Amino acid sequence: MSTMKFPKNLIILTILSIIALSLIWVSCQKSEMKNYLSETSAERDQRMAWWREARFGLFIHWGLYAVPAGEWKEGKNHAEWIRTTAQIPLEEYDKFVPQFNPVQFNADEWVTMAKAAGMKYIVITSKHHDGFCLFDSKETDFDVMSTPFQRDIMKELAEACRKQDMKICWYHSIMDWHHPDYLPRREWETERSADGANFERYIQYMKNQLRELVSNYGEIGVLWFDGEWESTWNREYGRDLYNYVRNLQPNIIINNRVGAGRSGMEGFTKGGEFVGDFGTPEQTIPATGLAGVDWETCMTMNDHWGYNKNDQNWKSTKDLIQKLADIASKGGNFLLNIGPTAEGLFPQASIDRLKAMGEWMKVNSEAIYGTHASPFASLVWGRCTQKAIENGTRLYLHVFDWPANKSLMVPGIYNQPIQAYLLADATKSALNVTRVEDALVIDVPAQAPDSINSVVVLEIQGQPDISDPPKIVADQDIFIDELSVSLVSDRENIEIHYTLDGTIPELNAPVAVAPLKLTATTTVSGRIFRDGKAVSGTIQKTFTKVTPIPAVQATNPQPGLNYAYYEGDWELLPDFKTLTAKKSGTIPTFDISVRDQIEHFGFEYAGFIKIPVDGIYLFYLDSDDGSQLFMGDKLVIDNDGLHGLQERRVALPLDAGYHPLRVKFFDKTGGDGLVVSIKGPGIEKQRIGEAMLFH
Ligand code: H79
């Protein structure tokens, strides 16, 4: 036996080496595709730096739809959606191809105009929903090379941008109304069969085109996806596509529409499953900035993205300049759109607006580029942006309403002023600044330097110390036995005094150091003091002690929910009681995949939820389109109506045991989805799973 030992070990060693080598080989193969979904915040900051500095970009919607210029038969209100809004058959739409000949197109001129407006990047439609490609694609003949023009428009623009230090970026639609493998078909497109269509093959087509777009045109700033909301697209595809594009160009920036789960036109992705680098509010400016979230408002100058010759509803220059300041004051970027004509020209009204914005930017761009969101919640006369300077902060006060009394009041600011001057004043002659209680008052000339937005610079020592009250932080507003409540502020050298009887905290009130423990309904009031003086207003919040909802006796509960499935065309939840279900049965959990069609359907689920321990539970209802959640007979979450995925929630005090629960849901068209989640004592937010559901 002992003579066998040596060779046996050798064999084992050889086998182990082979295994090790093949493992190394496999991991090398894998490492070809790097995972960019988990980069560090430092890596991310570095990649996002130019985009955050830029603040202002040009969107261009251009394609075959410029030929009909918004008109089809009697309709005059179409644009880039014309193939769908006018229900134009594919063969009919293809007839625009031989008509597309924008001989007046001049890439250098376009880039020069954007540059003169103060824009730092251009996002142009490499492909819109109609599927037509403005670039020379080996993957399709439905591109610019099939038109009489036969010039790769993307190439000319990319080169012109490179010459003028402008970032070139692509808008690329996931939805494609032309490719045979894209699904679903339009509802009205009954003539166009979907037989043999293969969505996975479409994804490969799209990836091949994206490889062309990020490989053949030099460095691309942003990939701006859109048309992601249809039922065929999902977050998994989104993560894969994000990684695919980043692997081709690691520093590229990708918008959140690469994924799924955008909440309507507000444009932000909800939940922890954010894919993409920035949120995309469309035609709207968020009410406030969002800490730690990059975003960009895209907006038209009139009412259409693509060229519409009848649309003269232009936003005023004043409106556009003030919108730019408003967006910057909330920490966002402004992507302003132009729809060029079929001849290859910007409409004159758009040119005029670019020029006027450029004139304002020539004087004031410092108050836009690389700035951060305002430290003030609101200012009656305008907006504020800011930048860090050595030992302090430079505040850019964007004054829309110039003070008639020649004194500009900056309320609720405790910093020492360093200096103030007009940004339009090249000599920076000092403006007088005086303190009046918690305000700084700046003496300004009678005449506003700019009739739309005059920028007053105010430099202060340190970081902005604004009279914001503390924040009152607790898990919920209601509780059963005891609740922990904290008073916090990130302001420096302060003490937070509080009361629990609804009175305004004075210096003699106790100081909040540890979290407060509430055992009865209480109004907590907090206020910030420094050096024995109040330096904020008072904030108040009431926390209510509640009696939990008792559990019910469930006789012989079985796993799963009862469901009834309906079909119909609704804008709001119908009264299912008056309708006949197409089918019904039991189902492990809230699941809409048992639907028989992907549009125009509804569900009602009924059963019990088994609550593990007494406590406050949060329920979340996220749906596209409408939904409602009932506990017993009581409507507790109303998320009804037509919308993209949208989440609503409620906090309920519940005893351990069974509670009767019902969910109603409907989908009209477009994407769909229903997610019912719970969070409670010892339960992280999660979908309500089979283990908790009975009937
Ligand atoms: O390219 C421009 C438009 O053609 C395109 N986006 C801009 C940048 C656009 N496509 N559709 N719309 C704008 C409006 C569509 C809105 C809806 Fe939805 C789609 C409503 C329901 C599905 C997206 C997902 C908004 C809410 C849920």
Side-chain angles (χ1 to χ4, degrees):
M1 289 293 270
S2 68
T3 50
M4 292 295 288
K5 213 175 166 190
F6 183 68
K8 208 180 191 177
N9 274 356
L10 201 68
I11 291 166
I12 291 171
L13 205 74
T14 313
I15 292 173
L16 283 178
S17 314
I18 291 171
I19 293 174
L21 282 173
S22 47
L23 279 179
I24 290 170
W25 183 80
V26 167
S27 75
C28 281
Q29 292 300 97
K30 276 206 176 135
S31 72
E32 272 180 19
M33 255 308 249
K34 204 172 148 189
N35 181 12
Y36 284 98
L37 290 162
S38 52
E39 73 189 329
T40 66
S41 60
E43 287 169 333
R44 191 185 140 71
D45 287 347
Q46 203 181 3
R47 189 165 54 87
M48 297 299 291
W50 75 262
W51 188 90
R52 291 174 184 160
E53 172 77 27
R55 284 284 168 260
F56 191 24
L58 176 65
F59 215 172
I60 301 179
H61 276 72
W62 205 30
L64 292 183
Y65 40 80
V67 174
E71 285 192 358
W72 188 257
K73 305 200 171 136
E74 275 75 63
K76 291 187 188 319
N77 208 14
H78 307 289
E80 79 288 352
W81 271 67
I82 192 165
R83 175 151 131 66
T84 280
T85 49
Q87 306 196 352
I88 304 175
L90 197 71
E91 311 72 54
E92 197 71 20
Y93 195 80
D94 286 350
K95 292 182 186 158
F96 293 135
V97 174
Q99 297 177 57
F100 187 76
N101 194 17
V103 291
Q104 310 231 47
F105 168 67
N106 181 323
D108 291 315
E109 276 174 16
W110 283 15
V111 178
T112 303
M113 284 190 276
K115 181 129 183 144
M119 293 159 158
K120 296 285 194 182
Y121 57 108
I122 296 179
V123 184
I124 181 160
T125 46
S126 46
K127 183 190 85 169
H128 204 267
H129 308 331
D130 65 358
F132 178 76
C133 300
L134 276 185
F135 63 105
D136 179 5
S137 173
K138 300 279 167 288
E139 302 292 322
T140 181
D141 286 335
F142 194 50
D143 70 354
V144 70
M145 302 318 273
S146 300
T147 70
F149 197 51
Q150 289 197 7
R151 277 160 54 186
D152 186 337
I153 291 170
M154 305 291 92
K155 184 139 259 163
E156 294 184 22
L157 269 171
E159 277 164 14
C161 281
R162 204 146 300 120
K163 273 188 277 178
Q164 301 198 44
D165 195 23
M166 175 80 67
K167 295 265 184 192
I168 185 76
C169 314
W170 308 137
Y171 166 109
H172 205 77
S173 176
I174 291 170
M175 179 163 72
D176 188 316
W177 303 328
H178 201 273
H179 196 279
D181 281 323
Y182 181 81
L183 292 169
R185 296 281 184 267
R186 301 308 92 201
E187 219 180 314
W188 51 270
E189 246 186 329
T190 44
E191 303 290 282
R192 227 183 124 216
S193 162
D195 289 351
N198 178 335
F199 193 71
E200 296 291 332
R201 207 159 52 200
Y202 171 72
I203 294 179
Q204 195 53 52
Y205 162 78
M206 182 168 63
K207 282 182 165 178
N208 293 346
Q209 287 205 321
L210 289 164
R211 181 184 286 277
E212 297 179 322
L213 283 165
V214 293
S215 307
N216 303 342
Y217 300 88
E219 201 173 273
I220 304 304
V222 176
L223 249 177
W224 213 104
F225 287 102
D226 198 9
E228 85 294 11
W229 60 81
E230 296 214 287
S231 52
T232 40
W233 196 248
N234 61 40
R235 291 178 202 250
E236 198 41 59
Y237 287 144
R239 278 190 284 271
D240 176 65
L241 191 59
Y242 180 90
N243 249 332
Y244 176 78
V245 174
R246 289 282 312 274
N247 271 279
L248 293 170
Q249 262 194 34
N251 285 328
I252 205 163
I253 294 170
I254 301 174
N255 72 343
N256 68 337
R257 299 188 187 187
V258 69
R262 168 163 58 108
S263 60
M265 303 296 257
E266 296 95 61
F268 292 97
T269 309
K270 307 161 284 72
E273 298 176 76
F274 191 96
V275 197
D277 299 314
F278 61 93
T280 49
E282 177 167 327
Q283 302 287 38
T284 172
I285 300 173
T288 60
L290 287 164
V293 182
D294 292 299
W295 57 273
E296 171 193 73
T297 281
C298 59
M299 200 178 271
T300 50
M301 284 193 191
N302 54 0
D303 292 330
H304 294 87
W305 298 95
Y307 180 61
N308 178 307
K309 65 179 172 195
N310 299 299
D311 181 355
Q312 296 306 324
N313 191 25
W314 299 96
K315 293 178 182 69
S316 68
T317 300
K318 172 176 173 177
D319 191 12
L320 292 172
I321 288 173
Q322 294 190 345
K323 280 189 159 80
L324 175 63
D326 184 30
I327 289 167
S329 81
K330 294 167 182 170
N333 281 15
F334 193 19
L335 186 64
L336 183 58
N337 182 72
I338 286 181
T341 68
E343 291 72 50
L345 299 174
F346 287 177
Q348 189 57 43
S350 299
I351 296 177
D352 296 343
R353 279 155 186 78
L354 284 188
K355 269 206 189 115
M357 293 185 88
E359 271 153 33
W360 185 86
M361 284 291 276
K362 213 185 300 160
V363 177
N364 299 292
S365 65
E366 188 196 318
I368 300 290
Y369 297 145
T371 57
H372 295 278
S374 173
F376 302 96
S378 75
L379 291 163
V380 289
W381 38 254
R383 301 290 183 273
C384 175
T385 54
Q386 58 169 321
K387 243 179 238 176
I389 54 172
E390 209 180 330
N391 297 324
T393 306
R394 186 176 294 149
L395 299 175
Y396 298 96
L397 310 173
H398 297 248
V399 187
F400 300 169
D401 299 314
W402 195 252
N405 65 355
K406 299 191 285 179
S407 58
L408 182 71
M409 188 176 72
V410 186
I413 180 166
Y414 290 92
N415 304 77
Q416 280 291 337
I418 301 170
Q419 60 165 340
Y421 56 90
L422 300 175
L423 191 55
D425 176 5
T427 67
K428 298 189 182 179
S429 22
L431 301 175
N432 196 34
V433 185
T434 43
R435 173 162 293 287
V436 181
E437 311 219 350
D438 68 347
L440 288 174
V441 177
I442 307 172
D443 297 340
V444 293
Q447 189 61 42
D450 190 288
S451 61
I452 292 171
N453 175 6
S454 307
V455 178
V456 178
V457 177
L458 172 60
E459 289 181 359
I460 53 173
Q461 287 177 11
Q463 301 204 5
D465 182 37
I466 308 302
S467 68
D468 293 339
K471 290 191 177 62
I472 302 183
V473 185
D475 283 345
Q476 336 293 349
D477 300 358
I478 57 171
F479 61 101
I480 297 173
D481 298 315
E482 189 185 79
L483 183 70
S484 170
V485 176
S486 304
L487 287 148
V488 296
S489 167
D490 49 21
R491 295 174 64 188
E492 285 167 11
N493 306 319
I494 52 136
E495 280 185 329
I496 302 172
H497 293 248
Y498 70 93
T499 66
L500 300 176
D501 59 2
T503 60
I504 291 177
E506 300 294 346
L507 199 52
N508 58 7
V511 176
V513 270
L516 312 170
K517 300 276 177 223
L518 307 187
T519 52
T521 294
T522 307
T523 296
V524 177
S525 308
R527 191 179 181 195
I528 298 180
F529 288 75
R530 179 185 289 137
D531 303 332
K533 279 204 295 245
V535 290
S536 87
T538 299
I539 187 168
Q540 283 194 332
K541 197 160 181 181
T542 299
F543 297 92
T544 310
K545 181 166 176 157
V546 292
T547 319
I549 301 169
V552 298
Q553 199 67 42
T555 40
N556 190 21
Q558 300 296 315
L561 292 170
N562 290 318
Y563 82 91
Y565 169 75
Y566 302 86
E567 288 178 358
D569 186 2
W570 310 292
E571 314 260 295
L572 282 174
L573 276 167
D575 183 0
F576 286 128
K577 276 201 214 74
T578 64
L579 303 175
T580 314
K582 258 205 86 198
K583 61 180 180 185
S584 59
T586 59
I587 194 167
T589 176
F590 305 97
D591 179 5
I592 63 167
S593 70
V594 295
R595 64 197 189 286
D596 292 337
Q597 55 191 36
I598 60 162
E599 293 184 328
H600 302 131
F601 65 93
F603 278 97
E604 180 158 8
Y605 306 86
F608 298 99
I609 181 165
K610 192 177 178 191
I611 293 298
V613 294
D614 297 1
I616 306 289
Y617 290 83
L618 287 168
F619 289 84
Y620 305 81
L621 194 56
D622 187 359
S623 68
D624 171 0
D625 291 290
S627 58
Q628 289 178 328
L629 177 93
F630 296 79
M631 277 284 170
D633 285 330
K634 199 164 163 227
L635 174 64
V636 291
I637 306 181
D638 191 353
N639 198 0
D640 202 1
L642 285 180
H643 48 72
L645 277 172
Q646 165 177 299
E647 187 180 84
R648 296 247 150 94
R649 63 174 221 184
V650 68
L652 297 173
L654 300 175
D655 271 344
Y658 292 96
H659 291 263
L661 161 113
R662 234 164 2 113
V663 168
K664 296 183 186 181
F665 166 79
F666 84 98
D667 178 61
K668 185 177 166 72
T669 55
D672 58 32
L674 173 67
V675 181
V676 190
S677 309
I678 190 168
K679 182 180 167 200
I683 306 178
E684 289 292 309
K685 183 181 171 186
Q686 56 189 258
R687 283 174 182 238
I688 302 180
E690 307 175 19
M692 295 183 94
L693 296 171
F694 297 87
H695 69 281

